[in-house]
Amino acid sequence: MSDWREKVKKVVPYIPGEQPQIKNIIKLNTNENPYPPSPKVFEVLESADASAFRKYPDPDSKELVGALSEVYGVDEKRIFVGVGSDDVLGMAFQTFFNSDLPVLFPDITYSFYDVWCDLYGIKYDIKPLNPDFTINPEDYKGENGGVVIANPNAPTSLAMGIDKIEEIIKANSDSVVIIDEAYVDFGGESALPLLDKYENLLIVRTFSKSRSLAGMRIGFAFGSEEMISYLNAVKNSYNSYTMNMLSIKCGKAALLDREYFKNTVETIIATRDKYAEVLKGMGFEMPKSSSNFYFAKHKTVDAGIIFEELKKRNIFVRHWNKPVIKDYLRITVGTDKEMEALCSALSEILKEQA
Ligand code: PMP
């Protein structure tokens, strides 16, 4: 007998980090920014006029695209915006990865990539990282249906130099190379200078990390005019109004406050570098982070135990019980005060477990 369940698309979804609804927690598990967005975003919200909401928003998000163009010096026709970079990436997978050849990405990387491949029926081939967690460009030079590299990579926190990124883009003129730069503002080298040189390059960015707007859901991409037109065609075949009125306005306000952006990013980098040393002094080992998080392993105490013990103390970090990375914790860089609290909880836990 036929059953409607046979007609269901069954997928294993991506599991985001917890968003606990309890108060007074220290939340270092989803790489959010510990600081509020620019005061200019508050001004937008204070002066927002709800009567405007009866109309649809601008399907082209011109105000936001215009501000991105101004800030990054990229022509408006080469900019695509979406509901967080997840939306932009998902749309890009659908648009550009239509081949019988597999899409290539590292085994340890953003764990949404394989989920989109499964959702859209895209073949993929994962390439192991080097033992020190770096990416080997040679692995991405064979025949493929596309390449995706997060730079800096997550959860490893490591950045790849633009020379190596260029090698990968150059070797793949027959497929689209997506560089996911979600964390690039914290110390990575952007592929932006390569944009005019390669028509197969798509750079994806987000407002969720360095611009403190994870809750607003704003992402964007830079590519060739032709590439962006294909992305827009797919978007407009799915949902014309992905960006709501407030996201457009808040995104623009955050972008144009360059001073605030620079200050917050610099503060996070200073905190990151300061507490990397403290954590190392406590017996943690980690690659040098170019992101707003650490990928840290303790010399003697099991990562799973530390994760649970921190949680008992209302401190949330991220742990994956997966081969290769099960000994590691991904810890978002918070404020200095949050990092102090983390370190004192850790020293208590390490003493108990000694
Ligand atoms: N890429 C990477 C590497 C990420 O870690 C994240 C955050 N989970 C994203 C993309 C998506 O971020 P958002 O959708 O908030 O822009």
Side-chain angles (χ1 to χ4, degrees), residues 86 101 112 177 185 245 318:
D86 283 341
L101 293 167
F112 225 136
V177 177
D185 293 324
M245 286 177 181
R318 195 104 201 246

Side-chain angles (χ1 to χ4, degrees), residues 34-312:
Y35 299 104
S38 154
K40 301 284 179 202
V41 172
F42 288 79
E43 283 173 24
V44 167
L45 294 175
E46 277 152 22
S47 63
D49 172 13
S51 64
F53 296 165
R54 73 185 178 79
K55 292 194 200 153
Y56 285 107
D58 170 15
D60 301 321
S61 306
K62 278 190 221 69
E63 260 187 90
L64 180 60
V65 170
L68 282 164
S69 172
E70 188 184 324
V71 168
Y72 289 100
V74 175
D75 190 280
E76 295 185 10
K77 294 196 185 75
R78 304 184 67 177
I79 302 173
F80 178 79
V81 292
V83 187
S85 53
D86 283 341
D87 184 44
V88 176
L89 286 162
M91 209 77 77
F93 273 51
Q94 245 190 110
T95 309
F96 300 117
F97 297 159
N98 294 285
S99 162
D100 289 333
L101 293 167
V103 168
L104 311 180
F105 46 86
D107 60 343
I108 305 302
T109 191
Y110 186 32
S111 47
F112 225 136
Y113 300 156
D114 54 347
V115 174
W116 284 312
C117 285
D118 290 338
L119 178 65
Y120 299 127
I122 301 164
K123 285 186 197 146
Y124 60 96
D125 187 9
I126 52 172
K127 301 289 179 185
L129 295 178
N130 294 321
D132 63 356
F133 294 141
T134 54
I135 292 170
N136 181 3
E138 297 306 315
D139 290 340
Y140 301 88
K141 294 184 180 173
E143 269 204 318
N144 62 67
V147 175
V148 193
I149 303 282
N151 190 41
N153 196 11
T156 65
S157 80
L158 282 173
M160 199 183 200
I162 193 168
D163 48 331
K164 289 190 174 153
I165 291 286
E166 183 166 11
E167 260 184 59
I168 296 174
I169 301 165
K170 209 172 175 173
N172 286 292
S173 53
D174 290 342
S175 47
V176 170
V177 177
I178 299 179
I179 307 295
D180 177 354
E181 296 189 346
Y183 301 103
V184 77
D185 293 324
F186 299 105
E189 225 179 330
S190 175
L192 202 51
L194 304 177
L195 201 64
D196 285 341
K197 227 169 141 184
Y198 299 99
E199 59 170 24
N200 61 325
L201 167 64
L202 188 80
I203 300 171
V204 178
R205 298 265 193 107
T206 181
F207 282 61
S208 298
K209 319 292 177 182
S210 53
R211 296 189 191 273
S212 307
L213 283 175
M216 270 285 157
R217 313 303 299 127
I218 310 169
F220 56 107
F222 298 129
S224 69
E225 192 178 326
E226 186 182 357
M227 231 186 213
I228 297 304
S229 74
Y230 293 134
L231 269 174
N232 274 316
V234 167
K235 183 217 105 179
N236 288 320
S237 309
Y238 169 73
N239 177 2
S240 313
Y241 307 108
T242 48
M243 308 304 289
N244 70 63
M245 286 177 181
L246 285 178
S247 292
I248 293 171
K249 288 207 180 302
C250 290
K252 177 183 173 185
L255 265 176
L256 297 181
D257 194 349
R258 299 177 200 226
E259 181 79 10
Y260 183 85
F261 168 71
K262 187 169 166 280
N263 289 342
T264 2
V265 167
E266 280 175 3
T267 306
I268 292 168
I269 291 173
T271 303
R272 176 191 75 202
D273 294 346
K274 177 176 163 190
Y275 286 93
E277 295 313 311
V278 179
L279 290 167
K280 283 182 202 163
M282 295 169 85
F284 282 94
E285 293 167 346
M286 63 182 92
K288 184 170 167 27
S289 173
S290 292
S291 317
N292 66 336
F293 57 89
Y294 309 105
F295 194 49
K297 166 188 166 172
H298 195 263
K299 281 183 188 148
T300 54
V301 184
D302 183 84
I305 293 176
I306 300 177
F307 171 81
E308 291 300 339
E309 286 298 321
L310 283 173
K311 200 168 170 174
K312 280 186 203 159

